[in-house]
C-alpha cells in the first residue's frame, strides 16, 4: 500500500489520488482498481488561466530549485479576498490540457494562522505520489487552479479563502473536523508541475496474437473487447502486448497510473473501467493510480516488466483473480469468472517504503 499522503489530498470530497487497493487483501492478492469518475465540465477558468498575482502570492517566499522540495515561507496574517495565482517559473515542458493528469510536488499553508496544512510532498523519492486531474471540480478546485495552464517544469503559488480553494465551506468543515482550518481562512498552495501523464497508451501497434480476445478502440482510446464466449478460457494468466511503449519499465512495487477496462469472459459484461463515458462523466477518462502489489495477481503480472506507453490485454483465470472471494456488491464476477482486462500503462514511479 502507498504511504499516507497529506491531509489535503486525502480529505473527503477532495480525493486527489485515484488509488484503488484493498486494505483487507491477503498476501499476493488484492482488488482490481476501481475507477473514480469525474462529473464536472472543465474550462480555462477551472484551470486558473485568468487569475492574477496579488498581495498574498507576492508576499510568499519560495526558495530552492524547481523539481526539488522547496523552502516555503508564508507569513501569518496574510489575507486574500479573491483568488490569486503567481507563476514563479514557467517551465518549457509539455502544456497539459483540461482533463489531463499531472504529477506534482505540493505544499499547503494556512496564512491566517501561519501554520502548515501539508508540508512539501511529492518531490524526490515521493515523485509520482501526488497526481492531479486538471479541471475535475469533484476534487479540490484550488488544485486545478494552482497547476492548470502551466507547462511541465513550472512553479506556482496560489492563494484564496479556504472555502474557495476547497469548493465550499462544507468541504472545509468535512476536511478539517478539528477546526484547524476555517472556511474564512486564507490558504496558500505552492508547488511544481513535475510531469504530464497522457490519457491513453501511445506505443507502437503490435501484431495481434491468435487465441486472444480482439480489441478495437474508439477515437478517444476507449477499448471495446470481443470475446468468443464459446471458447475455453486459459487456465493460466496470459498477456498480449497490443501497443509497445518506449517509457520506463514497470517494476514490482511501483505505483502505476493506468487506464483500464475489465470484462467478464463468459457474460461479456464490463464490470469496471476507468473510462469516463461509461460512468456518465464528462471527462473522457479518469486514470487510476495504485501499487502493483495492491491488485489481484493476474493484473500485477500484466503490468510488471512492461513499459510506459504500452497497452496490454490480460486474461486472468480465477486462481489469479478473485477466486473463491469475488467482490461483494456485484453479480457479474463469480467464483469461476475469468477476467479480461485491457490496460493502458501511462506512468510508473517507485513507491517509497512506509
Amino acid at each position: 500500500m502507498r504511504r499516507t499522503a497529506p491531509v489535503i489530498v486525502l480529505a473527503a470530497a477532495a480525493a486527489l489520488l485515484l488509488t484503488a487497493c484493498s486494505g483487507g487483501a491477503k498476501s499476493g492478492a488484492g482488488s482490481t482498481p476501481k475507477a473514480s469518475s469525474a462529473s464536472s465540465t472543465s474550462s480555462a477558468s477551472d484551470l486558473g488561466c485568468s487569475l492574477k498575482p496579488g498581495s498574498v502570492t507576492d508576499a510568499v517566499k519560495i526558495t530552492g530549485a524547481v523539481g526539488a522540495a522547496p523552502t516555503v515561507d508564508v507569513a501569518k496574517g496574510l489575507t486574500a479576498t479573491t483568488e490569486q495565482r503567481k507563476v514563479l517559473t514557467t517551465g518549457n515542458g509539455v502544456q497539459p490540457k483540461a482533463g489531463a493528469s499531472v504529477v506534482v510536488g505540493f505544499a499547503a499553508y494556512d496564512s491566517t494562522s501561519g501554520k502548515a496544512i501539508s508540508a512539501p510532498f511529492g518531490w524526490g523519492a515521493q515523485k509520482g505520489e501526488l497526481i492531479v486531474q486538471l479541471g475535475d471540480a469533484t476534487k479540490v478546485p484550488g488544485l486545478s487552479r494552482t497547476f492548470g495552464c502551466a507547462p511541465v517544469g513550472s512553479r506556482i503559488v496560489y492563494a484564496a479563502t479556504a472555502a474557495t480553494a476547497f469548493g465550499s465551506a462544507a468541504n472545509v468543515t468535512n476536511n478539517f473536523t478539528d477546526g484547524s482550518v476555517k472556511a474564512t481562512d486564507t490558504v496558500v498552495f505552492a508547488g511544481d508541475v513535475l510531469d504530464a501523464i497522457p490519457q491513453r497508451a501511445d506505443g507502437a501497434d503490435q501484431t495481434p496474437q491468435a487465441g486472444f480476445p480482439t480489441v478495437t478502440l474508439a477515437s478517444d482510446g476507449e477499448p471495446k473487447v470481443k470475446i468468443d464466449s464459446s471458447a475455453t478460457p486459459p487456465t493460466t494468466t496470459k498477456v498480449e502486448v497490443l501497443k509497445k511503449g518506449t517509457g520506463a519499465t514497470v517494476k514490482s512495487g511501483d505505483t502505476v497510473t493506468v487506464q483500464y477496462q475489465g470484462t467478464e469472459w463468459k457474460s461479456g459484461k464490463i464490470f469496471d473501467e476507468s473510462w469516463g463515458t461509461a460512468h456518465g462523466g464528462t471527462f473522457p477518462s479518469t486514470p487510476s493510480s495504485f501499487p502493483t502489489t495492491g491488485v489481484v495477481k493476474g493484473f500485477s503480472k500484466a503490468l510488471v516488466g512492461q513499459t510506459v506507453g504500452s497497452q496490454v490485454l490480460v486474461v486472468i483465470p480465477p486462481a489469479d483473480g478473485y477466486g473463491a472471494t469475488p467482490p461483494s456488491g456485484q453479480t457479474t464476477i463469480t467464483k469461476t469468472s475469468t477476467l479480461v482486462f485491457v490496460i493502458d500503462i501511462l506512468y510508473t514511479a517507485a513507491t517509497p517504503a512506509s
Side-chain angles (χ1 to χ4, degrees):
M1 302 291 286
R2 81 167 60 228
R3 70 168 70 186
T4 301
V7 63
I8 194 171
V9 174
L10 296 179
L16 167 63
L17 297 176
L18 304 175
T19 57
C21 31
S22 172
K26 297 178 181 179
S27 175
S31 68
T32 54
K34 182 172 289 186
S36 173
S37 62
S39 59
S40 62
T41 57
S42 56
S43 66
S45 61
D46 295 327
L47 304 188
C49 301
S50 62
L51 296 180
K52 305 297 183 184
S55 59
V56 177
T57 55
D58 286 343
V60 174
K61 297 179 181 179
I62 303 179
T63 56
V66 174
T71 298
V72 184
D73 183 10
V74 178
K76 180 179 179 179
L78 298 176
T79 301
T81 56
T82 59
E83 289 181 287
Q84 303 174 17
R85 182 176 185 264
K86 186 174 184 178
V87 179
L88 303 178
T89 302
T90 300
N92 56 10
V94 65
Q95 172 75 65
K97 298 179 180 179
S101 296
V102 291
V103 177
V104 304
F106 174 76
Y109 303 85
D110 183 335
S111 64
T112 299
S113 67
K115 296 180 180 179
I117 298 172
S118 293
F121 191 92
W123 285 274
Q126 299 164 347
K127 183 180 177 183
E129 288 284 281
L130 302 184
I131 295 172
V132 177
Q133 189 169 28
L134 299 175
D136 182 1
T138 66
K139 312 300 187 292
V140 177
L143 290 170
S144 283
R145 294 171 192 157
T146 301
F147 297 109
C149 292
V152 172
S154 297
R155 171 164 287 177
I156 310 102
V157 60
Y158 164 92
T161 64
T164 298
F166 280 87
S168 70
N171 284 347
V172 179
T173 301
N174 291 336
N175 290 336
F176 302 98
T177 56
D178 61 356
S180 58
V181 178
K182 298 178 175 58
T184 55
D185 286 359
T186 291
V187 296
V188 172
F189 296 170
D192 297 345
V193 182
L194 301 174
D195 220 337
I197 298 175
Q199 290 294 95
R200 57 189 291 184
D202 57 4
D205 291 336
Q206 304 295 293
T207 302
Q209 296 182 38
F212 277 86
T214 58
V215 178
T216 56
L217 302 178
S219 59
D220 64 357
E222 182 174 1
K224 182 177 182 180
V225 179
K226 184 177 181 181
I227 302 170
D228 180 1
S229 59
S230 66
T232 301
T235 56
T236 58
T237 295
K238 300 294 184 181
V239 179
E240 176 187 27
V241 178
L242 302 175
K243 294 179 181 290
K244 181 64 175 177
T246 58
T249 300
V250 179
K251 298 180 177 61
S252 180
D254 277 8
T255 294
V256 294
T257 300
V258 304
Q259 297 275 31
Y260 68 93
Q261 183 184 86
T263 304
E264 202 272 335
W265 178 286
K266 185 176 181 180
S267 67
K269 291 182 179 180
I270 296 172
F271 58 86
D272 193 12
E273 67 176 328
S274 63
W275 297 95
T277 54
H279 298 282
T282 55
F283 280 1
S285 57
T286 305
S288 291
S289 299
F290 48 85
T292 62
T293 53
V295 291
V296 295
K297 287 181 181 179
F299 202 99
S300 181
K301 288 178 180 179
L303 295 171
V304 175
Q306 303 294 344
T307 50
V308 170
S310 296
Q311 180 183 75
V312 298
L313 183 148
V314 58
V315 181
I316 306 173
D320 277 355
Y322 289 104
T325 56
S328 60
Q330 59 80 49
T331 58
T332 302
I333 302 175
T334 68
K335 295 179 181 180
T336 60
S337 287
T338 294
L339 312 179
V340 179
F341 280 97
V342 179
I343 310 167
D344 285 16
I345 304 172
L346 307 178
Y347 191 81
T348 191
T351 302
S354 299

